[in-house]
Amino acid sequence: MAAHFVALRFRLLLGTLKQSPWAIVALVMSVLGGLSLLGGTALAAIAVRALAPELGASLAVLGGAALVVVLTAIAVLVGTSDPLAPERFSLLPLRARQLRAGLLAAQVLEPWSVVAALALALWLIVWSTSPVALVAAVLALPIGVATVLLLARAGSDLLARQLASKRARDAMAILLLLVILFAAFGIQLLANGLSGLADLGGAIGTAVSVLAWTPLGAAFDLPRVAADGAWLEAAAKLAIAVATIAIAWWGWGRLLDERLTNPIVLRGGGRVREGRALDRLLPATPTGAIAARSIRYRRRDVRHLMNVIATLMIPVIIGGVHLAGIVRVEVDGDRIPAEGLAFLPLLMAIVAAAIVQIDVAYDNSAFAWHVLTGVRGTADRAGRLLGISIVYLPALVVTAVLATWASGRWALLPGSVGASVGTFLLVAGVLLWLGALLPGDAPAPGANPLGRGSSGGVQSLAGLALTLPVLGTIGAPAIGLAIASVWIPWLGWLSLAAGLVVGALGAWFGIRVGGATLDRRGPEVLAHVAKER
């Protein structure tokens, strides 16, 4: 059974790679990303081994526990879109004990599982300072890998039924997004708090000693206690680690049995209400209808709502960190002045406009209505740009006002508005055209918003890479004049004028050229965004 599931996993991977050459590019980039993580782990292990071997045990416990938590979060995120979900086998004459070994073997082939197992193996470098510790680490390695994989799988299956409803999935996705966004902020706060402790090493040692007696860290502390000759403690922690694996294995089997006999069915949201006020404000044309739908999606569809939240939180987090003095960026010993806050909307504009490229991908198979009803490409591009502009342009202006107030230089307001609005419309216009050539990927409707395709895929990355040179050349006047207004304030008004002109040209290019491109490639775009992933 295990061999069958491994072969099935490989066939699914080959099927994905045959769908598009971009899938091969994505696989190559994933491999390179995994290799870079492993390379960093190897360098860290060598550095600890050579410079501070006494820290190896503490870092092993902390890193192992963090690995369990991170992999559990990843398993929860991708669980609703797992092609080997137990429900897919519920009609077959199979029991949980038959599926369990096969699903675990297939999970080992997941990229994040391979990287985690190899990272734990690379940490053997640290334990090479002692022959006893090295032997114990080699023997404990399978226990550590099994702990990570089984706890992640059991944890994701335990939450799967609670996340069956769309409201629960959306709430979980938004919560995880906020955690990710505030992670850097929280890490800096934690670092500042720890730096204020009189005995930082003692505090970390206490935390590690407690964590080492829990299911999260017991398996990773075995080499240290073996090297110290504390065999009674080693036996106790080995018992905790083995019991953790046994309970996770048994509990996962019970959860599998329940999912086979009572399959989890993903449930949708509630009733969708009309939005007549929006229809009265926008023109009764295909462009107006597409714009109205785009605005509604930003409120009702959690995939779009998360993009809006992330975009709005970027200046809040960066500005808050700067104003609070948590992060101090210095150049030649001088801290970057507060005037830099006035240009935070520029970063927000780039992030907001980048979403335009994959807007069709969010439509998925519903884009077929545009193709079948003969909606012109110019109407599609204009409607999408109008809808996203109504959502983000007021936010950019308000952010520019607040950022300028925080900087204490109201003279920078025209340049801040001009640079951000011009950048938004220019980048959006270019990506409207590129979106007809490289529509990108997005999670399917009802799927996990943070699951596969949530980043837009390789095509989205390629589109942004192609757009940045355009921004650096055509958008340079508006941005350059805005920066120069720090020293010559009246140049901010020239930046405002240049931004409006550049933005208008970008919008025209995206609507006309992007629309003509979409007219030619409509069926190809539909085939790409509607394919099952």
Side-chain angles (χ1 to χ4, degrees), residues 35-52 59 118-119 122-123 125-126:
L35 291 176
S36 64
L37 289 175
L38 293 175
T41 303
L43 291 176
I46 294 172
V48 172
R49 167 69 172 78
L51 303 177
L59 293 177
L118 292 177
L122 286 172
W123 207 250
I125 297 173
V126 176

Side-chain angles (χ1 to χ4, degrees), residues 8 18 20 46 67 102 104 135 139 147 195 241 249 253 281 289 336 372 377-378 384 395 399 474 513 518:
L8 183 58
K18 289 179 181 179
S20 169
I46 294 172
L67 201 59
L104 183 62
V135 173
L139 295 177
T147 300
S195 62
W249 179 259
L281 293 175
I336 292 181
L372 296 176
T378 53
R384 295 181 190 275
T399 303
I474 300 177
V513 180
L518 187 62

Side-chain angles (χ1 to χ4, degrees), residues 297-337:
Y297 279 3
R298 259 84 195 164
R299 178 173 62 88
R300 295 175 178 173
D301 190 335
V302 69
R303 300 172 299 166
H304 290 287
L305 179 60
M306 290 175 62
N307 289 332
V308 175
I309 293 174
T311 303
L312 296 179
M313 292 306 298
I314 286 175
V316 173
I317 295 174
I318 297 177
V321 167
H322 182 84
L323 290 175
I326 296 174
V327 177
R328 297 181 179 272
V329 181
E330 298 182 354
V331 178
D332 294 333
D334 297 325
R335 187 182 179 190
I336 292 181

Side-chain angles (χ1 to χ4, degrees), residues 12-348:
L12 288 171
L13 176 61
L14 291 176
T16 302
L17 296 178
K18 289 179 181 179
Q19 288 181 355
S20 169
W22 289 100
I24 301 176
V25 177
L27 177 62
V28 172
M29 293 188 65
S30 299
V31 171
L32 293 177
L35 291 176
S36 64
L37 289 175
L38 293 175
T41 303
L43 291 176
I46 294 172
V48 172
R49 167 69 172 78
L51 303 177
E54 67 279 1
L55 296 178
S58 299
L59 293 177
V61 174
L62 293 174
L67 201 59
V68 173
V69 175
V70 170
L71 263 65
T72 301
I74 293 175
V76 171
L77 291 178
V78 304
T80 55
S81 57
D82 187 5
L84 294 179
E87 286 77 13
R88 297 178 183 266
F89 306 95
S90 59
L91 297 179
L92 300 177
L94 295 174
R95 294 183 178 274
R97 63 173 180 269
Q98 296 174 284
L99 284 178
R100 197 164 39 179
L103 290 176
L104 183 62
Q107 182 184 353
V108 173
L109 297 178
E110 291 284 351
W112 46 271
S113 298
V114 174
V115 172
L118 292 177
L120 291 176
L122 286 172
W123 207 250
L124 294 175
I125 297 173
V126 176
W127 299 118
S128 62
T129 55
S130 167
V132 177
L134 181 60
V135 173
V138 172
L139 295 177
L141 180 60
I143 300 176
V145 173
T147 300
V148 171
L149 297 182
L150 284 175
L151 286 181
R153 190 65 194 236
S156 65
D157 281 16
L158 182 64
L159 295 175
R161 196 169 297 277
Q162 283 69 36
L163 297 177
S165 68
K166 184 177 183 298
R167 181 172 298 178
R169 294 195 304 273
D170 294 351
M172 175 65 74
I174 293 175
L175 178 62
L176 288 174
L177 175 66
L178 293 176
V179 170
I180 294 171
L181 288 175
F182 282 97
F185 190 68
I187 290 173
Q188 290 294 336
L189 284 176
L190 179 62
N192 285 355
L194 292 176
S195 62
L197 293 177
D199 186 10
L200 177 58
I204 295 178
T206 301
V208 169
S209 62
V210 172
L211 194 60
W213 285 99
T214 66
L216 295 179
F220 308 105
D221 198 40
L222 289 174
R224 181 192 65 81
V225 294
D228 293 342
W231 300 112
L232 185 60
E233 182 181 352
K237 291 183 176 179
L238 178 62
I240 293 174
V242 173
T244 299
I245 295 174
I247 293 173
W249 179 259
W250 172 81
W252 182 32
R254 293 294 299 271
L255 293 170
L256 282 179
D257 189 55
E258 183 182 0
R259 293 181 69 172
L260 288 174
T261 56
N262 183 20
I264 296 175
V265 179
L266 299 181
R267 302 187 297 275
R271 183 174 64 89
V272 177
R273 294 177 292 274
E274 294 179 314
R276 296 177 180 176
L278 194 59
D279 294 329
R280 288 195 298 267
L281 293 175
L282 294 172
T285 61
T287 297
I290 294 171
R293 187 193 65 189
S294 177
I295 296 172
R296 290 192 185 99
Y297 279 3
R298 259 84 195 164
R299 178 173 62 88
R300 295 175 178 173
D301 190 335
V302 69
R303 300 172 299 166
H304 290 287
L305 179 60
M306 290 175 62
N307 289 332
V308 175
I309 293 174
T311 303
L312 296 179
M313 292 306 298
I314 286 175
V316 173
I317 295 174
I318 297 177
V321 167
H322 182 84
L323 290 175
I326 296 174
V327 177
R328 297 181 179 272
V329 181
E330 298 182 354
V331 178
D332 294 333
D334 297 325
R335 187 182 179 190
I336 292 181
E339 285 85 349
L341 291 175
F343 303 107
L344 275 179
L346 188 62
L347 177 61
M348 179 180 171

